[in-house]
Amino acid sequence: MTENQQVSGSYWLETAPDGRYPALTGDLDVDVAVVGAGIAGLCTARELARAGKTVAVLEAGRVAAGVTGHTTAKVTALHTLVYDKLRRTRGAEGARLYARSQSEAIEHTARIVAELGVDCEWERRSAFTYVRDADRVEELRAEARAAREAGLPASFVTETGLPFPVAGAVEVTDQAQFHPRKYLLALVGDLVAHGGHVHEDTTVTGLEEGTPCRLSTAAGATVTARDVVVATHYPVFDRALLFTRLSPRRELVVAGPVPAGRDPGGMYITPEENTRSVRTAPYGEDGARRFLVVTGEHFTPGTGDPRALFGRLSAWARTHFPDMELTHSWATQDNDPTDTVPLVGPLHPGARHTYVATGFGGWGLSGA
């Protein structure tokens, strides 16, 4: 990016409807209260409402506008280099269960898209983890073997649709990508249609565990619920000291249209070059262009020089996609768990009616 170039923020927020939901102003009594309206919270709430529970979603800002509104929006079970590590640390069965959970999430999402008729640019594409350094090829071969043994349609390849040669890549076929905010707004509509309550601009400030539980808000309202799910990306209540098992990571995104002929035809990521992730999305009415999304330059929040990192990332994108018109840039943030797998379950060892979902390590669209 140059100093004079004007770019917008998140493309997903810019190109989705801007419906709003009221703040909670009075007390509420429900079966389940879900704190946080990203993909984890909204998917949880929608499933509960479909099961006949009364549900309230409480969001301090806007629905699907936080981390989920700034994602690259890949729905894939290939998570860079994870299966060989899981096979070594959790055994073959652990790796298989991880792959199964992620694959079932993709198919469940596909069914929802079809069932609700969601216009969210759902596309099936292969996912690739690639390296350009020949010294890392064996690492990729091991990952392909581990992913295949875990049950994924994985293979080691040396040819991709990228505009540069690779030393090797893991390919997993029949993965997916979509417009995250359009999808989640459809879920919110279905949740409300099944009796769910959705409240934006509602900051939860306190949690009293018990039978029932009680949540208090900054505006003075009280939500009484038998069960509470904390799905706020980083837990707002951390009675299990989960912060000791989470490492925040900031990552930058540059994006813009390219000619359709420059579409690399898949979803790509590499652990090299401080991470590079590439995908495209539909763009325009005539199909002549695709919207290219390039992610990378991760760093610990509060460190580094974001302006310089944005410059490096946009220079990389222009080098490899010289026809790219850079129109958007934004940043996202993820929490990496210390043991590789997400932290989902009771909020703390003694919890009976409070639950947490966090630590998706950048793969929340399948994990959540």
Side-chain angles (χ1 to χ4, degrees), residues 204-242:
V204 174
T205 56
L207 167 62
E208 178 186 330
E209 296 185 63
T211 308
C213 300
R214 289 182 174 82
L215 292 166
S216 55
T217 75
T222 298
V223 178
T224 302
R226 174 175 173 79
D227 296 289
V228 172
V229 178
V230 180
T232 53
H233 183 59
Y234 202 91
V236 289
F237 305 110
D238 203 355
R239 294 163 190 184
L241 303 180
L242 294 180

Side-chain angles (χ1 to χ4, degrees), residues 137-360:
V137 165
E138 286 308 312
E139 186 179 358
L140 269 289
R141 290 186 184 276
E143 181 68 13
R145 286 193 299 270
R148 189 165 54 250
E149 291 170 6
L152 297 182
S155 59
F156 176 82
V157 299
T158 56
E159 298 291 333
T160 72
L162 289 167
F164 49 80
V166 302
V170 181
E171 178 183 7
V172 174
T173 58
D174 205 24
Q175 305 300 284
Q177 57 185 28
F178 66 175
H179 191 302
R181 184 164 166 80
K182 288 181 179 179
Y183 173 76
L184 287 182
L185 290 179
L187 250 62
V188 174
D190 190 62
L191 167 64
V192 172
H194 284 82
H197 305 265
V198 178
H199 295 286
E200 297 180 321
D201 301 316
T202 299
T203 301
V204 174
T205 56
L207 167 62
E208 178 186 330
E209 296 185 63
T211 308
C213 300
R214 289 182 174 82
L215 292 166
S216 55
T217 75
T222 298
V223 178
T224 302
R226 174 175 173 79
D227 296 289
V228 172
V229 178
V230 180
T232 53
H233 183 59
Y234 202 91
V236 289
F237 305 110
D238 203 355
R239 294 163 190 184
L241 303 180
L242 294 180
F243 69 88
T244 64
R245 300 164 63 187
L246 295 171
S247 299
R249 167 170 50 91
R250 197 85 166 145
E251 202 153 15
L252 307 181
V253 183
V254 295
V258 295
R262 297 287 188 179
D263 183 359
M267 302 177 290
Y268 298 88
I269 191 167
T270 180
E272 298 175 333
E273 301 182 89
N274 201 21
T275 307
R276 292 290 184 267
S277 170
V278 175
R279 65 154 287 196
T280 66
Y283 186 83
E285 299 293 331
D286 59 4
R289 293 191 289 176
R290 298 276 298 180
F291 192 76
L292 178 70
V293 181
V294 178
T295 309
E297 296 299 335
H298 66 80
F299 58 98
T300 301
T303 68
D305 180 353
R307 184 180 179 86
L309 295 175
F310 266 121
R312 285 177 54 180
L313 189 62
S314 58
W316 186 93
R318 284 206 182 93
T319 296
H320 298 296
F321 298 90
D323 298 322
M324 177 186 186
E325 177 190 352
L326 198 159
T327 58
H328 294 72
S329 66
W330 64 89
T332 188
Q333 188 160 312
D334 294 298
N335 292 320
D336 294 322
T338 55
D339 63 353
T340 307
V341 298
L343 305 175
V344 179
L347 181 60
H348 55 81
R352 296 294 179 266
H353 297 285
T354 52
Y355 304 87
V356 68
T358 187
F360 295 106

Side-chain angles (χ1 to χ4, degrees), residues 94-179:
R96 188 188 66 79
L97 289 172
Y98 186 92
R100 176 183 170 186
S101 70
Q102 305 305 302
S103 297
E104 288 183 355
I106 298 168
E107 299 312 316
H108 185 60
T109 305
R111 288 192 295 272
I112 293 173
V113 170
E115 176 189 350
L116 300 183
V118 185
D119 180 13
C120 63
E121 301 166 14
W122 178 266
E123 295 180 313
R124 291 284 191 170
R125 294 205 158 189
S126 287
F128 297 83
T129 297
Y130 73 90
V131 295
R132 303 177 73 178
D133 182 357
D135 290 339
R136 300 193 69 170
V137 165
E138 286 308 312
E139 186 179 358
L140 269 289
R141 290 186 184 276
E143 181 68 13
R145 286 193 299 270
R148 189 165 54 250
E149 291 170 6
L152 297 182
S155 59
F156 176 82
V157 299
T158 56
E159 298 291 333
T160 72
L162 289 167
F164 49 80
V166 302
V170 181
E171 178 183 7
V172 174
T173 58
D174 205 24
Q175 305 300 284
Q177 57 185 28
F178 66 175
H179 191 302

Side-chain angles (χ1 to χ4, degrees), residues 39-128:
I39 191 163
L42 292 176
C43 287
T44 301
R46 188 258 182 186
E47 296 294 333
L48 289 166
R50 283 269 178 153
K53 303 292 185 182
T54 57
V55 184
V57 177
L58 310 174
E59 167 58 46
R62 296 171 56 199
V63 300
V67 172
T68 306
H70 294 80
T71 177
T72 50
K74 302 174 182 177
V75 192
T76 174
L78 182 65
H79 298 169
T80 315
L81 299 171
V82 69
Y83 290 101
D84 189 45
K85 180 178 180 180
L86 286 175
R87 183 174 59 178
R88 288 183 279 106
T89 59
R90 291 178 176 262
E93 180 65 6
R96 188 188 66 79
L97 289 172
Y98 186 92
R100 176 183 170 186
S101 70
Q102 305 305 302
S103 297
E104 288 183 355
I106 298 168
E107 299 312 316
H108 185 60
T109 305
R111 288 192 295 272
I112 293 173
V113 170
E115 176 189 350
L116 300 183
V118 185
D119 180 13
C120 63
E121 301 166 14
W122 178 266
E123 295 180 313
R124 291 284 191 170
R125 294 205 158 189
S126 287
F128 297 83

